[in-house]
Amino acid sequence: MPYAYEPVDDLATAVQRITLTSSDSDYIDQLIPVIKDARKSSNTNQLLGTFTQIAAERESEIERICNSNHQEFISSVNQLLRVREGTVRLTTEILSLNQSIQASTEKLAQQKKALVDSRSVRQNIDDTTNALNSCLDVLRLANQVHDLLAKKKHYAALRALDELRNVHLREVSRYKIAEMIEKSVPATQRLIAEAVMSDLNMWLYRIREASQYLGEVAFYHTEMRRMRFKERAQEDPHLAKFKLNSAMELVADEMDEFDLLHNEETETNIEFGPLFECMHIHETLGQSDQFRAEYAATRRKQKELLIPASLNLLDPDEAELSSLLECITGFAVIEKATMMKTDNFRATVDVDELWDSMCQSAILLISKALNSIESDEKLLKIKGRIGLFIQTMDRWGYSINSLNSLVLTIFHKYAQLLKRRFSDDFQEIVSTDDYMPMPINSIDEYDKVINVSWYTPEVSRDELSFPCVLPFSQMYPLCCIDIRNFLNQIYLFSDESFERSAVIDETLHTSLDELLCENVCKSLVDRLSSQYPGQIVQILTNLEHFETACAELQKLLFEARSSNSASGPIVLHALEQFRAGKKTAEKRIFELVNSKIDDLIETAEYDWMASTAPDEPSPYMQELTRYLSVNMNSVLLGLPTEIKELIYFDALSHAASMIMDLPLDPGVRRISPSATHALAMDVTFLLNFVDSLANPALKENLDELVQTVALMQTKDPDEFFDVSQANKKYGRVDRANGAILLEKVREGAAATPPPVVSSRSDAFATFGSRFGINRNKD
């Protein structure tokens, strides 16, 4: 420890203390401050004197000691010399030994150096061995990654690669191999990503191949649900107002579990393991967005592969259509299942976009192929497959609006084909009918006709005797059958996948109306050009029954249409058409009857200047009454009474007018009394015939003719010109015609002798007595 100097005033004391120090270092340490102090105080000489005095004192003491111990000192010196001699000898030996030791030490140093060097080499070897082992472990792990990759254990390979990179590579980070492996990690990650994508692509290929079968199973499941719900609706009518895929149906069917993707019965097993592994690996690699985009692009490409270039709908089993719809169904089900089994992997907008694209492509193909379909039955089958497709996809939550529009398009074509087919049927029925009252030979045949026809018989079923005849011809029940079939087949298009809507109701209303108007009513009216009154009468009868059928059809259509579209009564224009056709038929009958009357009256051969009166009515008058009697009792027998009365009324009116025109003909200048008697006899004969009909209203048509003939036979022509008398006796006679006939009769009477009245009857007496005319009156 360094000596702590304390300054003192007495140099002698300080020097004394310095000399008593035990070591040179302490001596110096104490001396230096004293010297410094002496210099500061200019006591350097004093200090030197002090040291000199102390040295003299010590020499004196040494001399004193030596003087008192001289002999011992000599002995000691001698002894010391001997010791010194021995010491020199020992020193020589030591030096020799030292040289020997030094030589051994150099050898030992060389050996030690060699040992140190060998230890260093061994350490290097150990370090190298450890480094090699660490590198081998890294290489083993690197190879293990590739082995796992070869064994399809992609996630295990990725985890091993991650462990290699984050743990083991750090242990060998100072070696080149670490850098090499570190550089190869991205490539290995790409290999893993490519390998897992390869497996995913294989999985996507397999599910694309399985899509059709999956769709077929989905259709089968929907069909089974249909059947089960139909059975439940039959047991519980309350369920009938609900449809498939409604909340009520889903609740009722929840006990019948069916996993479309995993079902032993149908042998379907769609595993999503490859997709989940691929998602997890890409998420670990930080490539989730890239993988999501790549997966979406792959599914879009697969979607394109599902859609064929063309579609044939003419095959008997609709195989191509079924295949297309089943593939789309399977594809869409996989997409929906992927959304449900993953979290934010498949965006709803992407799935809906794929669905819309597939629907539009399918609709385009089907719409083009529909142009080749000419069978309504085929369209019904096509609609059935599409309806099953709609219900299946509705169950999986897809939008079906565009498909409903397609079904509506199919319905319009279906209605057109039905209309065309039934139009041909109606045309054939109308053209091949015999237009005779329909004979019925048995009660079974009668029941069949009554059941299909809108006809209420006047005679009860129990009072019938066979064979019998129904008023209408065979075409009427045949048309009624076709009408019912048309209704049934239109409504057959409506089911739970396409409800009976206002579109169906309106299409049915319009189509049926056009069929009845164009193919039945118009065809019947066109056939009124026939010259056969019996055929015209039968057409009129048929038109009347069709009118009844139209009224019943209006009620039926009103009851059958959907409640949502009900807005007022159903009105068939065909009803007015049939009414107008009846009027046309009636006019045609009038024309034919009047034409026959014209022909008969044209055969009248009156000798207007005859001098002898005939004994019997003219042949034409007999033929005329016979024609009217036979025609009404045979040809016109099937007509309603009011129509027959109208025909009689019109025929008699026309006959009276034609008979009236005979004497008024400008070529007849004079009429003899005999000719007047002959005309009166014919009119009386006609009047008797009308009386036999027991219809007083018909006689009114003959009033003008009877009064005119009575005027021609009067003895007092001036009564006609007396207004009061004329109104009583000749009120129906035309004033101008009466004057003309009186003049012709006057000139005829002046030119011929009085007529000879037949002994058989007094025509004038008979004629005058009917109308209260007294021939003896002045």
Side-chain angles (χ1 to χ4, degrees):
M1 178 178 178
Y3 177 79
Y5 171 72
E6 297 180 1
V8 292
D9 297 333
D10 189 359
L11 292 176
T13 304
V15 172
Q16 186 67 31
R17 187 183 298 169
I18 291 171
T19 58
L20 292 177
T21 57
S22 60
S23 65
D24 292 340
S25 59
D26 290 340
Y27 176 83
I28 295 301
D29 290 337
Q30 292 189 46
L31 178 62
I32 291 173
V34 172
I35 295 175
K36 289 182 178 180
D37 290 339
R39 286 184 177 179
K40 289 180 181 180
S41 58
S42 302
N43 293 327
T44 303
N45 293 328
Q46 184 181 355
L47 177 61
L48 290 175
T50 302
F51 272 111
T52 301
Q53 183 181 352
I54 290 173
E57 291 175 357
R58 291 298 172 89
E59 285 179 358
S60 297
E61 185 177 359
I62 291 170
E63 184 176 353
R64 181 179 55 77
I65 292 171
C66 288
N67 289 328
S68 61
N69 295 304
H70 178 71
Q71 188 61 38
E72 292 177 3
F73 179 75
I74 293 299
S75 297
S76 296
V77 170
N78 291 331
Q79 188 177 359
L80 182 61
L81 290 174
R82 286 195 299 272
V83 171
R84 181 179 180 185
E85 182 179 356
T87 300
V88 171
R89 187 174 62 254
L90 289 174
T91 299
T92 303
E93 291 177 358
I94 288 170
L95 289 175
S96 175
L97 180 59
N98 183 41
Q99 290 178 354
S100 175
I101 290 171
Q102 185 175 4
S104 297
T105 301
E106 289 179 357
K107 183 177 180 181
L108 181 60
Q110 291 177 355
Q111 290 177 352
K112 184 177 181 179
K113 181 180 180 182
L115 179 59
V116 171
D117 291 342
S118 66
R119 286 180 177 177
S120 176
V121 171
R122 183 173 180 178
Q123 183 64 40
N124 290 338
I125 292 173
D126 290 341
D127 293 342
T128 303
T129 301
N130 292 334
L132 287 175
N133 289 333
S134 299
C135 292
L136 288 175
D137 289 340
V138 170
L139 288 174
R140 179 179 56 78
L141 288 174
N143 291 331
Q144 185 180 6
V145 170
H146 291 277
D147 291 340
L148 291 172
L149 192 59
K151 294 177 181 178
K152 304 294 184 181
K153 297 180 179 181
H154 305 113
Y155 184 69
L158 186 62
R159 297 307 303 167
L161 182 63
D162 185 63
E163 180 183 356
L164 173 65
R165 183 180 187 182
N166 296 323
V167 178
H168 297 282
L169 283 184
R170 291 182 179 180
E171 297 176 358
V172 294
S173 59
R174 61 185 180 277
Y175 304 121
K176 188 70 174 178
I177 191 172
E179 181 182 355
M180 295 173 62
I181 293 178
E182 181 70 27
K183 290 181 179 179
S184 69
V185 167
T188 306
Q189 289 177 338
R190 284 195 299 273
L191 285 177
I192 295 174
E194 290 173 359
V196 76
M197 281 301 296
S198 177
D199 285 356
L200 179 66
N201 290 333
M202 182 60 67
W203 177 77
L204 288 172
Y205 174 78
R206 287 198 302 268
I207 65 171
R208 182 173 70 84
E209 291 296 313
S211 292
Q212 182 175 351
Y213 181 68
L214 191 63
E216 184 179 349
V217 173
F219 286 178
Y220 167 78
H221 176 50
T222 303
E223 191 63 40
M224 292 299 101
R225 288 174 53 223
R226 273 184 179 179
M227 295 174 62
R228 289 195 297 269
F229 191 65
K230 185 176 181 180
E231 293 174 357
R232 294 189 181 103
Q234 291 175 351
E235 297 174 359
D236 184 2
H238 177 70
L239 295 175
K241 63 182 180 180
F242 298 99
K243 61 180 182 177
L244 205 68
N245 295 326
S246 64
M248 185 64 70
E249 186 272 333
L250 294 176
V251 170
D253 201 58
E254 64 182 357
M255 297 302 295
D256 297 300
E257 296 184 358
F258 185 89
D259 189 350
L260 180 62
L261 301 177
H262 304 280
N263 191 275
E264 294 181 359
E265 181 182 355
T266 57
E267 298 181 354
T268 55
N269 186 23
I270 305 298
E271 295 290 347
F272 285 82
L275 175 61
F276 297 152
E277 184 181 26
C278 199
M279 290 174 57
H280 192 50
I281 286 177
H282 281 85
E283 183 179 0
T284 304
L285 294 175
Q287 300 175 358
S288 296
D289 294 339
Q290 178 183 349
F291 171 63
R292 190 180 297 111
E294 186 175 352
Y295 182 85
T298 302
R299 291 299 280 169
R300 283 194 294 271
K301 292 178 182 177
Q302 287 191 325
K303 180 266 298 182
E304 297 297 334
L305 296 176
L306 291 177
I307 308 301
S310 61
L311 186 65
N312 179 22
L313 296 179
L314 296 177
D315 54 319
D317 301 325
E318 297 82 38
E320 291 192 15
L321 176 63
S322 298
S323 176
L324 173 63
L325 298 182
E326 288 166 359
C327 287
I328 293 176
T329 299
F331 186 93
V333 166
I334 293 295
E335 285 296 298
K336 213 68 171 182
T338 303
M339 285 184 60
M340 293 187 292
K341 291 178 180 294
T342 59
D343 186 18
N344 297 326
F345 176 66
R346 294 292 285 149
T348 303
V349 64
D350 291 338
V351 175
D352 290 341
E353 182 182 355
L354 284 177
W355 166 251
D356 292 338
S357 176
M358 289 189 294
C359 284
Q360 292 303 322
S361 299
I363 289 172
L364 182 61
L365 286 173
I366 295 172
S367 299
K368 288 182 179 179
L370 284 178
N371 296 327
S372 61
I373 303 298
E374 297 296 334
S375 169
D376 54 278
E377 295 181 359
K378 188 69 175 178
L379 278 180
L380 202 59
K381 292 180 181 179
I382 293 172
K383 180 262 170 186
R385 298 303 296 174
I386 296 177
L388 189 61
F389 174 60
I390 289 175
Q391 289 179 325
T392 303
M393 292 296 95
D394 187 34
R395 173 66 181 84
W396 284 88
Y398 283 103
S399 173
I400 56 175
N401 293 331
S402 58
L403 295 173
N404 285 334
S405 300
L406 172 63
V407 174
L408 188 60
T409 301
I410 296 176
F411 170 72
H412 287 312
K413 184 172 181 64
Y414 175 76
Q416 291 176 358
L417 293 179
L418 274 182
K419 182 179 176 183
R420 185 189 308 169
R421 177 161 67 86
F422 280 94
S423 174
D424 296 339
D425 290 346
F426 283 134
Q427 291 283 8
E428 183 178 359
I429 291 172
V430 172
S431 62
T432 58
D433 191 53
D434 57 4
Y435 293 97
M436 296 290 290
M438 185 175 183
I440 301 296
N441 298 317
S442 65
I443 189 66
D444 292 337
E445 186 178 350
Y446 175 81
D447 289 339
K448 291 178 181 178
V449 173
I450 296 302
N451 288 335
V452 300
S453 305
W454 286 278
Y455 171 63
T456 303
E458 297 178 358
V459 181
S460 66
R461 184 174 181 273
D462 297 334
E463 297 176 359
L464 289 172
S465 59
F466 298 94
C468 66
V469 176
L470 296 180
F472 42 78
S473 65
Q474 190 175 4
M475 69 156 291
Y476 176 68
L478 291 178
C479 286
C480 288
I481 292 174
D482 268 7
I483 290 171
R484 292 181 185 274
N485 288 337
F486 183 75
L487 293 176
N488 291 335
Q489 295 204 28
I490 286 289
Y491 283 133
L492 191 62
F493 197 91
S494 174
D495 56 17
E496 61 271 17
S497 66
F498 187 75
E499 294 183 339
R500 187 180 306 173
S501 62
V503 175
I504 289 184
D505 294 331
E506 182 62 28
T507 302
L508 176 58
H509 177 195
T510 304
S511 300
L512 183 59
D513 210 3
E514 291 178 357
L515 284 173
L516 292 174
C517 290
E518 297 296 328
N519 301 107
V520 179
C521 185
K522 187 175 183 299
S523 297
L524 289 175
V525 172
D526 290 342
R527 298 185 74 85
L528 292 176
S529 60
S530 171
Q531 299 297 322
Y532 301 100
Q535 186 175 5
I536 305 300
V537 170
Q538 190 59 61
I539 291 174
L540 176 59
T541 302
N542 290 349
L543 288 170
E544 183 177 13
H545 284 88
F546 276 115
E547 180 184 357
T548 303
C550 283
E552 295 297 326
L553 276 173
Q554 289 182 161
K555 299 177 184 178
L556 180 62
L557 291 176
F558 180 81
E559 295 172 356
R561 72 181 176 181
S562 59
S563 59
N564 295 331
S565 64
S567 58
I570 295 290
V571 178
L572 290 173
H573 295 94
L575 181 61
E576 292 300 325
Q577 292 286 335
F578 283 118
R579 287 174 180 170
K582 279 176 54 181
K583 296 183 181 300
T584 304
E586 291 172 5
K587 291 179 182 179
R588 181 58 180 163
I589 293 175
F590 295 157
E591 290 176 1
L592 290 177
V593 172
N594 292 340
S595 176
K596 182 64 176 177
I597 291 173
D598 291 345
D599 293 340
L600 293 174
I601 293 177
E602 285 178 0
T603 62
E605 297 180 354
Y606 286 108
D607 183 3
W608 299 108
M609 292 303 294
S611 57
T612 304
D615 295 336
E616 59 184 11
S618 303
Y620 90 90
M621 183 57 69
Q622 296 180 28
E623 185 65 26
L624 175 62
T625 55
R626 188 182 302 111
Y627 167 74
L628 290 175
S629 176
V630 172
N631 199 45
M632 292 299 176
N633 293 325
S634 60
V635 177
L636 305 181
L637 181 63
L639 291 176
T641 303
E642 62 273 11
I643 296 180
K644 287 193 292 186
E645 289 179 353
L646 285 175
I647 292 175
Y648 260 129
F649 192 87
D650 185 77
L652 291 174
S653 177
H654 183 72
S657 177
M658 291 296 295
I659 294 172
M660 185 80 69
D661 290 340
L662 292 176
L664 287 172
D665 189 280
V668 179
R669 298 182 180 278
R670 295 184 296 273
I671 302 175
S672 68
S674 296
T676 303
H677 175 75
L679 180 61
M681 184 180 293
D682 290 341
V683 173
T684 301
F685 186 81
L686 179 61
L687 194 60
N688 289 334
F689 169 74
V690 174
D691 283 342
S692 67
L693 299 178
N695 189 348
L698 296 177
K699 292 176 62 177
E700 296 178 2
N701 285 334
L702 301 179
D703 285 351
E704 182 180 4
L705 176 62
V706 171
Q707 291 181 13
T708 300
V709 174
L711 177 62
M712 294 174 66
Q713 291 182 304
T714 184
K715 298 300 182 178
D716 187 4
D718 294 335
E719 290 180 341
F720 180 72
F721 300 102
D722 184 351
V723 175
S724 60
Q725 293 294 326
N727 288 336
K728 292 179 181 179
K729 295 183 178 181
Y730 312 112
R732 302 294 297 275
V733 178
D734 184 85
R735 310 306 292 175
N737 291 340
I740 294 173
L741 290 175
L742 286 176
E743 181 62 25
K744 290 183 178 183
V745 170
R746 186 188 65 79
E747 292 182 0
T752 58
V756 179
V757 179
S758 171
S759 60
R760 182 175 179 182
S761 64
D762 187 347
F764 181 80
T766 303
F767 186 80
S769 64
R770 281 183 178 273
F771 294 92
I773 299 175
N774 187 0
R775 64 176 182 174
N776 296 321
K777 187 177 180 179
D778 295 333

